[in-house]
């Protein structure tokens, strides 16, 4: 008897009918002789709705109270799914994160899972029940409800699978697997049967929202076999593999993009040791995450221009901090742009192939797309371009690297 953890996202539990369809699927897996733990998200749109309510009263909302509020979305679905299961003769029991004891740190709205007590779940499985667990939420040491950040139910599922040493963690969503790029942007995107863990980690961290990045990190750390598949149909989905030697590995596996980027430049700062620290120190202290960094030598040889990117939500804050830094350093100017996006090519094949970057730049140039920043690592190349070029850029690269479906 295999232990399977399944996770169903918002769209997959978006209505009574969808919840009933999930119950049928769970029952089929159980009737086939498996033990099932099911992690669910809130019904689609619910987390946004709750967030809207909170902001109408307090903006930004109190992080602690926001977690109390947002966690109710998942509490609704666990109860409804358990009822739907019982209704079709499948014994089930639902638990909130706190009831399981999914213990997290105390970083409200972006908590990290530290420990999961599997005892209660195991006892129910032993008694022949399906266990339905609320995703996205946990409880800290002091008993406060926490949430794991948007898309966090993926991480709940992988963490539960790791704690219970499940045979497989299946992430059911509204697409039938991981594609070469978001099929909403490029309808000719192709489903991948397999993707390496490393590539999936890059895709997720570079903006592909199909899996939350922490879920992929968790899967890597505990070697959880992870699969992404559709809750609307059948099929094998995409397996995230730990093997390096996939036969006939394509050079590029996929294209990720991040829409919510912003860039800031401080112009004409003295070119001397410690300057990067003087500029980025205050940004880090304000808990703003910096992504790409570029430093240019200024035309006069004694000053430099320094550019970096942050999440768009942090743009205004970063801009005002940078302005103070500029005043203190006697810099010439501060400049910013929050209408930019980042597009990235990902593929382990880049390690053994030259010329990927120049091919990428050529494809973008052909469409008249100006590259504002570039950053590379062993298995990815990212460019920052103006927001208006997002779709054109993704499609041009998708075609240039031959990622389309055969029937194209
Ligand atoms: P869920 O509510 O099930 O967690 P999400 O909306 O979080 O679903 O994730 C699924 C969505 O991820 C898809 O509808 C798709 O638009 C988007 N997506 C982004 N990049 C990719 C990709 N490379 N492959 C598949 N889906 C992707
Ligand atoms: N309901 C939460 C969200 O919308 C968590 C999730 O769906 O994974 O972000
Ligand atoms: Mg999701």
């Amino acid at each position: 008897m295999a232990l399977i953890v399944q996770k169903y996202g918002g769209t997959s539990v978006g209505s009574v009918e969808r919840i009933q369809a999930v119950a049928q699927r769970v029952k089929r897996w159980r009737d086939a002789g498996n033990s099932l733990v099911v992690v669910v998200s809130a019904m689609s749109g619910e987390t946004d709705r709750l967030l809207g309510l909170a902001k109408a009263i307090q903006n930004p909302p109190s992080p602690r109270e926001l977690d109390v509020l947002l966690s109710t979305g998942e509490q609704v679905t666990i109860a409804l799914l358990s009822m739907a299961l019982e209704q079709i003769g499948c014994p089930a029991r639902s638990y909130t994160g706190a009831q399981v004891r999914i213990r997290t740190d105390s970083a409200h709205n972006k908590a990290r899972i530290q420990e999961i007590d599997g005892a209660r779940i195991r006892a129910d499985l032993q008694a022949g029940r399906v266990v339905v667990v609320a995703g996205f939420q946990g409880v800290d040491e002091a008993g406060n409800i926490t949430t794991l950040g948007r898309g966090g139910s993926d991480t709940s599922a992988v963490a539960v699978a790791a704690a219970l040493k499940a045979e497989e963690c299946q992430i059911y969503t509204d697409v039938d697997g991981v594609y070469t790029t978001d099929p909403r942007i490029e309808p000719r995107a192709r489903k991948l049967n397999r993707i390496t863990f490393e590539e999936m980690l890059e895709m997720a961290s570079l903006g592909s929202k199909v899996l939350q990045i922490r879920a992929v990190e968790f899967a890597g750390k505990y070697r959880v076999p992870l699969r992404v598949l559709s809750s609307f149909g059948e099929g094998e989905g995409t397996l995230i593999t730990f093997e390096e030697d996939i036969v006939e590995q394509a050079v590029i596996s996929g294209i990720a993009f991040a829409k919510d980027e912003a860039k800031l430049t401080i112009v004409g700062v003295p070119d001397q040791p410690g300057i990067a620290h003087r500029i980025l120190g205050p940004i880090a202290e304000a808990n703003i995450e910096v992504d790409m960094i570029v430093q240019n030598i200024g035309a006069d040889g004694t000053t430099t221009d320094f550019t970096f990117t942050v999440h768009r939500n942090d743009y205004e804050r970063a801009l005002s901090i940078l302005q103070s830094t500029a005043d203190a350093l006697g810099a010439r100017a501060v400049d910013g742009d929050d209408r930019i996006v980042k597009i990235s090519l990902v593929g382990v094949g880049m390690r053994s192939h030259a010329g990927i970057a120049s091919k990428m730049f050529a494809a973008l140039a052909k469409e008249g797309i100006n590259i504002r920043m570039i950053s590379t690592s062993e298995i990815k190349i990212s460019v920052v371009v103006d927001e208006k070029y997002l779709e054109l850029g993704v499609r041009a690269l998708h075609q240039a690297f031959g990622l389309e479906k055969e029937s194209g």
Side-chain angles (χ1 to χ4, degrees):
M1 195 153 108
L3 172 58
I4 310 281
V5 174
Q6 300 186 333
K7 177 257 171 177
Y8 293 90
T11 317
S12 306
V13 293
S15 67
V16 164
E17 293 72 28
R18 292 297 314 151
I19 291 172
Q20 288 168 328
V22 166
Q24 292 290 353
R25 186 182 293 270
V26 171
K27 183 169 188 294
R28 283 201 299 280
W29 276 88
R30 183 172 174 275
D31 289 349
N34 303 290
S35 284
L36 267 293
V37 177
V38 184
V39 175
V40 285
S41 294
M43 295 168 81
S44 58
E46 181 62 8
T47 308
D48 285 331
R49 189 185 73 86
L50 294 168
L51 192 57
L53 289 177
K55 285 184 174 167
I57 290 179
Q58 187 186 32
N59 201 3
S62 143
R64 183 189 184 279
E65 300 316 321
L66 186 61
D67 280 349
V68 174
L69 180 70
L70 294 189
S71 63
T72 63
E74 272 71 13
Q75 189 167 343
V76 169
T77 33
I78 55 170
L80 293 177
L81 178 59
S82 299
M83 291 173 197
L85 284 163
E86 294 200 331
Q87 192 63 25
I88 56 174
C90 189
R93 197 166 271 184
S94 69
Y95 294 107
T96 64
Q99 285 177 311
V100 172
R101 233 166 169 266
I102 297 182
R103 212 175 50 69
T104 70
D105 61 19
S106 302
H108 284 291
N109 314 154
K110 49 173 192 287
R112 282 180 182 271
I113 296 177
Q114 292 180 327
E115 197 183 1
I116 294 183
D117 181 356
R120 210 159 177 181
I121 297 179
R122 279 196 202 93
D124 276 313
L125 293 174
Q126 208 86 58
R129 296 186 193 102
V130 169
V131 180
V132 183
V133 176
F136 179 54
Q137 56 179 263
V139 62
D140 75 0
E141 186 90 70
N144 299 296
I145 294 174
T146 56
T147 65
L148 311 180
R150 298 308 301 268
S153 298
D154 296 335
T155 304
S156 308
V158 176
V160 166
L164 298 173
K165 300 194 169 56
E167 197 102 331
E168 188 165 278
C169 181
Q170 304 174 340
I171 307 287
Y172 286 91
T173 182
D174 55 4
V175 279
D176 61 354
V178 178
Y179 278 67
T180 46
T181 193
D182 189 341
R184 285 187 215 200
I185 292 276
E186 172 52 283
R188 290 185 296 173
R190 179 168 46 86
K191 188 191 77 104
L192 302 165
N193 293 326
R194 294 166 146 240
I195 183 167
T196 67
F197 159 73
E198 265 184 301
E199 288 168 325
M200 193 64 240
L201 193 61
E202 284 285 6
M203 291 281 280
S205 66
L206 294 167
S208 291
K209 297 209 167 91
V210 62
L211 284 177
Q212 200 200 33
I213 175 166
R214 283 187 190 165
V216 187
E217 284 170 356
F218 234 102
K221 188 164 174 196
Y222 296 99
R223 296 261 152 175
V224 179
L226 189 59
R227 195 182 283 278
V228 176
L229 13 69
S230 168
S231 69
F232 292 80
E234 300 305 316
E236 297 287 294
T238 301
L239 182 68
I240 288 69
T241 112
F242 296 99
E243 298 157 30
E244 288 296 312
D245 52 332
I246 301 184
V247 214
E248 291 183 42
Q249 171 72 46
V251 179
I252 301 301
S253 290
I255 301 172
F257 52 83
K259 291 181 185 176
D260 304 319
E261 303 274 308
K263 86 182 180 37
L264 301 98
T265 301
I266 180 165
V267 183
V269 284
D271 190 9
Q272 63 196 36
I275 207 70
H277 178 64
R278 289 282 300 274
I279 295 168
L280 295 179
I283 302 281
E285 271 160 39
N287 243 323
I288 297 175
E289 218 172 293
V290 170
D291 180 16
M292 287 159 104
I293 302 171
V294 173
Q295 184 180 334
N296 295 313
I297 301 297
D300 56 10
T302 57
T303 64
T304 176
D305 300 345
F306 194 96
T307 304
F308 58 93
T309 63
V310 298
H311 192 279
R312 216 172 270 181
N313 290 345
D314 294 325
Y315 177 65
E316 297 295 338
R317 247 174 0 116
L319 203 56
S320 90
I321 293 169
L322 196 60
Q323 192 59 62
S324 318
T325 308
D327 294 344
L329 293 176
R332 258 201 310 283
V334 166
D335 184 25
D337 186 351
D338 66 347
R339 291 279 162 264
I340 55 155
V341 293
K342 181 171 73 174
I343 305 179
S344 309
L345 287 182
V346 175
V348 290
M350 273 188 216
R351 286 195 181 117
S352 48
H353 282 77
I356 306 298
S358 65
K359 188 171 172 180
M360 180 185 201
F361 305 155
L364 294 172
K366 199 170 142 217
E367 300 295 337
I369 300 173
N370 194 28
I371 300 171
R372 314 280 295 269
M373 289 173 89
I374 300 168
S375 106
T376 65
S377 76
E378 219 187 356
I379 67 164
K380 73 119 205 281
I381 307 173
S382 301
V383 294
V384 166
V385 301
D386 290 348
E387 181 180 74
K388 62 180 184 225
Y389 293 129
L390 173 66
E391 297 192 0
L392 182 62
V394 168
R395 289 182 192 149
L397 294 173
H398 200 264
Q399 193 181 5
F401 286 91
L403 298 177
E404 306 94 334
K405 291 187 258 215
E406 301 283 281
S407 58

